[in-house]
Amino acid sequence: MPPPGHDQIQREELSRLFGQLVGARLLLVPLVLAAGAWMAWVDPTGWRRALLAAILVTVAAFFIIEYVRFRRRGGLAPGQVRINLVAAVVGQMTLTAATGGLGSPFIYVAVLLAVIVNVFVRPPVSAWLTAFQVLAVWTFAVLGATGAAPLELELLGGAARRPPPVGLGLGLHAGFLTVVLVSIAFAGRAGRKVFEAILRRALAAQQDSLRAYAERAEELTALSGEIAHELKNPLASVKGLAGLLAQGVGPGKPTERLAVLRQEVGRMQAILDGFLNFSRPLVPLVLDDCDVAALAREVAALHEGLARERGVAVEARGAAVRARCDPRKVKQILVNLVQNALDASPAGAAVELEAAPAPGGGARIRVQDRGPGLDPAVRDAAFSPGFTTKASGSGLGLTIARSLARQHGGDLVLSPRAGGGMVAELTLPATPAGAGTGAVA
């Protein structure tokens, strides 16, 4: 079984390469039209003139249409590649028949087409096209030897330029072309197999590397969770002892230092809580039909005191928006977003929470600030574990928030705000993805 992505990469690369041929063959249209028109003009045979005119107009129109289609769609589907090559082989042999059979200057175009067919098309289609080419070559040889159909062009010398016996010469010519066409078929098939084997081995190696990386990351995540869990209890003891010491110390520097100590221990506990949330699996959703606008107002009320200390306003607006979600997890997402917005906002600014129905059902909550925003070059990295622009940040808040959003089947995206700042938009679907596995409140 081929590794994931094998067939898609092969289709995309072959489609891209064939697209270049689609563009290149347009350059041949004027040459083919000129050569065919000259032959039709010089040769007096009426059926040949009519056939050449029909073939040349059809081939030119087909080339142009396929080129326009390729440019519009940015590629060709595997079925279109086969259709193109079938049309090319049939058209080339028909043109060869109309311009002299084995004596036609277009007969050796079959060799080039055989190479392209066996590179871009898998068996059995490539085998059938090669068989058609060989059959056409021997048909031309038989018709030329028996004189059953006047294929030779008088302007190219016709039968007069072939010394007797004519049948032997045509047979040798047809045999030579057969050997060449069949050899190309086998070589093309072997080359395609080599290409597929190289691609398969490269993708398998990539999958092995990704699997090893995922296993290593899982081990490190579990280890970080264990370390964080082991450190929480000692830190709680340190914080408690610092509080007891503060009660027995009068005002002055010792009290201030103990307050700083407790503050730093609290910050360390918050970082450890982030590691624990990141390392443990997401628990199933506990779904409830709730008003997300009310959740936004509740989160805004929770941060009023912190916002007032920093000279920032927190505003929540929007009519009732019902959504089926896990209110605890949605609240956790909003708390993280509002804290980030408060950290980024300058004094005198406002953090705005806006709830509204999402297009197609569900709900949408935006948390907007007037901070400096994020550089577009690092905006996508903001959700990567460990990425932070804060001096004291853990770099896990947005990672966990997006994981919770996607557990619902929604998403969390960041975008620049008009006039400066950032917009964090949480979308929740009408039917959460975890609806079938979570509990129901």
Side-chain angles (χ1 to χ4, degrees):
M1 182 177 179
H6 173 271
D7 293 338
Q8 180 182 357
I9 293 175
Q10 189 179 71
R11 284 195 302 267
E12 289 176 353
E13 289 303 312
L14 290 177
S15 174
R16 181 183 60 82
L17 182 58
F18 191 81
Q20 295 176 354
L21 295 178
V22 169
R25 71 184 182 184
L26 281 181
L27 302 176
L28 301 177
V29 172
L31 298 176
V32 174
L33 287 176
W38 176 68
M39 292 179 183
W41 178 263
V42 175
D43 193 86
T45 311
W47 67 268
R48 198 187 308 275
R49 288 183 174 181
L51 182 59
L52 276 173
I55 293 173
L56 294 175
V57 170
T58 302
V59 168
F62 181 77
F63 282 4
I64 295 172
I65 291 172
E66 286 300 299
Y67 177 75
V68 172
R69 182 183 300 179
F70 171 80
R71 296 290 294 178
R72 285 181 177 176
R73 299 183 180 179
L76 293 174
Q80 290 178 288
V81 174
R82 287 194 293 270
I83 291 173
N84 269 263
L85 291 176
V86 169
V89 170
V90 173
Q92 182 266 332
M93 283 302 177
T94 306
L95 182 61
T96 301
T99 55
L102 288 183
S104 170
F106 297 108
I107 185 62
Y108 288 101
V109 177
V111 176
L112 176 60
L113 284 178
V115 174
I116 297 174
V117 164
N118 287 280
V119 168
F120 288 97
V121 182
R122 288 177 174 176
V125 177
S126 60
W128 281 111
L129 288 176
T130 301
F132 172 78
Q133 288 180 306
V134 172
L135 178 62
V137 166
W138 282 102
T139 301
F140 297 153
V142 171
L143 292 177
T146 60
L151 296 180
E152 293 84 358
L153 283 169
E154 293 184 6
L155 61 95
L156 297 177
R161 57 192 176 88
R162 295 196 186 92
V166 174
L168 179 60
L170 291 174
L172 290 174
H173 193 185
F176 171 74
L177 284 174
T178 300
V179 171
V180 172
L181 293 174
V182 173
S183 299
I184 288 174
F186 281 106
R189 190 176 305 178
R192 185 178 178 111
K193 287 182 178 179
V194 170
F195 167 74
E196 291 179 353
I198 293 173
L199 179 60
R200 191 179 296 112
R201 292 182 64 180
L203 288 175
Q206 181 190 51
Q207 290 299 316
D208 290 341
S209 299
L210 291 175
R211 193 179 302 111
Y213 174 80
E215 292 173 356
R216 181 61 176 163
E218 187 176 351
E219 293 174 1
L220 292 175
T221 300
L223 178 62
S224 66
E226 293 177 7
I227 294 174
H229 185 269
E230 292 299 323
L231 289 177
K232 281 194 70 177
N233 291 334
L235 282 176
S237 300
V238 171
K239 189 173 184 179
L241 290 173
L244 290 175
L245 289 173
Q247 294 176 6
V249 177
K253 284 292 183 182
T255 302
E256 294 177 4
R257 289 167 181 166
L258 287 173
V260 172
L261 174 61
R262 296 192 67 192
Q263 180 181 347
E264 290 302 303
V265 171
R267 186 171 67 86
M268 292 175 66
Q269 286 180 324
I271 294 174
L272 291 178
D273 287 337
F275 273 111
L276 285 173
N277 288 331
F278 178 70
S279 62
R280 65 169 63 104
L282 292 175
V283 297
L285 298 174
V286 181
L287 298 175
D288 192 11
D289 186 15
C290 63
D291 180 5
V292 295
L295 282 178
R297 289 192 292 271
E298 183 180 342
V299 171
L302 287 174
H303 290 84
E304 281 183 355
L306 179 61
R308 190 178 298 111
E309 291 178 1
R310 301 184 181 185
V312 179
V314 180
E315 304 170 357
R317 59 174 180 268
V321 182
R322 310 298 300 184
R324 189 157 183 78
C325 61
D326 186 331
R328 182 181 62 85
K329 293 191 175 186
V330 172
K331 186 176 178 181
Q332 182 180 349
I333 297 171
L334 294 178
V335 166
N336 181 274
L337 297 180
V338 171
Q339 288 178 351
N340 286 345
L342 288 174
D343 290 340
S345 297
V351 174
E352 301 172 2
L353 288 81
E354 179 183 294
R364 180 187 65 197
I365 308 173
R366 289 178 174 172
V367 178
Q368 307 175 101
D369 64 63
R370 288 297 182 186
L374 275 178
D375 188 334
V378 300
R379 193 174 299 147
D380 291 337
F383 294 100
S384 301
F387 178 88
T388 181
T389 57
K390 304 177 185 178
S392 59
S394 65
L396 297 175
L398 286 177
T399 304
I400 297 171
R402 174 178 270 188
S403 298
L404 295 176
R406 290 182 173 177
Q407 187 185 18
H408 283 79
D411 204 357
L412 175 63
V413 296
L414 302 178
S415 58
R417 186 181 183 185
M422 181 65 64
V423 178
E425 182 173 306
L426 168 66
T427 54
L428 299 171
T431 304
T437 58
V440 178

